Amino acid sequence: MGKAQIIDGKALAAEVLGKVARATAELKQGHRLTPGLAVILVGDDPASQVYVRSKGRRTREAGMESFEYRMPEQTSEEALLEQIAALNADPKVHGILVQLPLPAQIDAAKVINAIDPDKDVDGFHVINAGRLMTGQKALVPCTPRGCVLLARQARAQMSGLEAVIIGRSNIVGKPLGQLLLNENCTVTIAHSRTRDLPGVTRRADILVAAVGRPQMVKGDWIKPGATVIDVGINRIPAEEEGKTRLVGDVDFDAAVHVAGAITPVPGGVGPMTIAMLLRNTIEAACLQTGAPLPAVLEGI
Ligand code: NAD
């Protein structure tokens, strides 16, 4: 059997980030507009700290302004809402991201819905979810947006294709279903109660796994030639004692012999998420100031 095309998310993310930097330079020069992204981290979850640090670095590298707010684990919901209100009112801040998960005393939905929808660069606000669902202009969640760009690397034309997404979360599965519907795919969203999951996934021309279960999707769940996008990030023990490694939701070593194209983990969907976040920050800055979205961002 042949080997699938490996869709290089790192390279594609670098290309997007290059375009984001060009768009930022254009807005600074032509419109005296420096897009600004504020990231709020509550508590000291180590993974979240890593994400927040790299978001800040990438934001600055792109020439944008980065504002970081670190709040203690015991922060009250009220204090966080006050911080968001201040950022909503700050004209230098065009994007606001609250790093999830939040501590138990804080209602995440309430916090997300307190963000000005035009500054909601994660696209999680109900207004943006509703706009996406009804075909209106919306800020779209970053990971699903990245998945579509990755799929396009292998499938320039998606119209009429069967797409199966495993996972129905608000941040990945559901918005991705909408985006693939917009690409004119026939979309199935499978989940933990789906009957005969391998039978369902074998129909997919485009198969997306967003579950959080290491190597769940086996080679024989995949239609030969399918495009496979692996969103999962799972840490498992490595062969070497005491060490761990990252794997996706797809059994890559088996899938690579069946699929037509596949994203690796790491180096697939992961790097695309931050790139799309910065792209969304530029869109938000344009939305708020009336500046035109730079042409270099067309199609991404
Ligand atoms: P989630 O836990 O919110 O949702 C998981 C979904 O999987 C649920 O809808 C559930 O119905 C479904 N599911 C659970 N068990 C199943 C089973 N046995 N069979 C079929 N479906 C099942 O997760 P999420 O936030 O959507 O994230 C999913 C994965 O993607 C995680 O590994 C997460 O780390 C990763 N992720 C990666 C990025 C990235 O940037 N690469 C971004 C977000 C999430």
Side-chain angles (χ1 to χ4, degrees):
M1 250 185 294
K3 251 191 156 184
Q5 169 197 349
I6 310 295
I7 306 174
D8 186 345
K10 239 171 131 175
L12 185 59
E15 191 186 317
V16 171
L17 288 171
K19 289 182 176 176
V20 162
R22 274 167 59 196
T24 303
E26 197 180 310
L27 290 173
K28 278 178 163 173
Q29 236 186 9
H31 300 270
R32 292 194 184 167
L33 170 60
T34 303
L37 172 64
V39 177
I40 306 176
L41 172 61
V42 183
D44 35 35
D45 176 64
S48 294
Q49 284 181 336
V50 173
Y51 291 141
V52 166
R53 219 174 302 131
S54 72
K55 281 169 188 167
R57 179 163 42 84
R58 292 277 185 221
T59 306
R60 288 186 294 275
E61 278 170 8
M64 299 186 196
E65 265 213 90
S66 164
F67 307 92
E68 274 178 47
Y69 298 88
R70 285 162 196 274
M71 303 177 81
E73 181 77 29
Q74 63 277 15
T75 299
S76 68
E77 189 177 279
E78 201 186 353
L80 180 53
L81 291 173
E82 268 172 33
Q83 180 62 72
I84 288 170
L87 296 172
N88 281 342
D90 186 340
K92 291 198 299 299
V93 172
H94 303 101
I96 303 170
L97 180 152
V98 178
Q99 185 66 44
L100 301 176
L102 286 166
Q105 74 276 15
I106 299 176
D107 178 349
K110 198 167 167 189
V111 166
I112 288 162
N113 290 328
I115 298 172
D116 176 346
D118 288 349
K119 295 192 177 189
D120 167 40
V121 283
D122 254 341
F124 296 162
H125 193 294
V126 282
I127 293 271
N128 281 313
R131 285 178 180 156
L132 174 62
M133 182 63 88
T134 53
Q136 299 174 58
K137 208 171 146 45
L139 286 166
V140 172
C142 306
T143 301
R145 203 187 253 284
C147 289
V148 173
L149 271 197
L150 288 164
R152 217 177 266 151
Q153 294 287 100
R155 305 272 188 171
Q157 244 327 317
M158 292 187 226
S159 187
L161 296 183
E162 290 275 350
V164 174
I165 301 160
I166 321 174
R168 56 175 160 184
S169 72
N170 289 334
I171 65 171
V172 187
K174 279 193 241 170
L176 180 57
Q178 197 58 50
L179 289 178
L180 290 173
L181 209 48
N182 292 349
E183 299 288 330
N184 297 317
C185 292
T186 302
V187 177
T188 303
I189 300 185
H191 46 79
S192 53
R193 307 290 176 88
T194 296
R195 270 181 288 163
D196 184 21
L197 186 57
V200 173
T201 59
R202 271 194 290 268
R203 294 205 306 259
D205 301 305
I206 299 174
L207 176 60
V208 183
V211 184
R213 288 185 167 234
Q215 300 164 315
M216 181 183 89
V217 176
K218 306 299 174 202
D220 64 0
W221 292 27
I222 296 167
K223 176 177 173 176
T227 298
V228 178
I229 309 292
D230 191 351
V231 183
I233 303 176
N234 310 288
R235 196 166 278 288
I236 63 165
E239 274 100 76
E240 205 183 323
E241 236 192 78
K243 295 249 163 115
T244 61
R245 65 186 181 107
L246 289 182
V247 296
D249 290 343
V250 177
D251 179 354
F252 183 90
D253 292 342
V256 77
H257 296 290
V258 187
I262 185 168
T263 61
V265 177
V269 176
M272 290 301 290
T273 298
I274 290 188
M276 291 296 121
L277 171 68
L278 298 189
R279 180 232 166 266
N280 278 358
T281 304
I282 293 185
E283 185 179 352
C286 292
L287 206 62
Q288 286 154 54
T289 58
L293 190 70
V296 65
L297 294 183
E298 233 160 71
I300 62 171

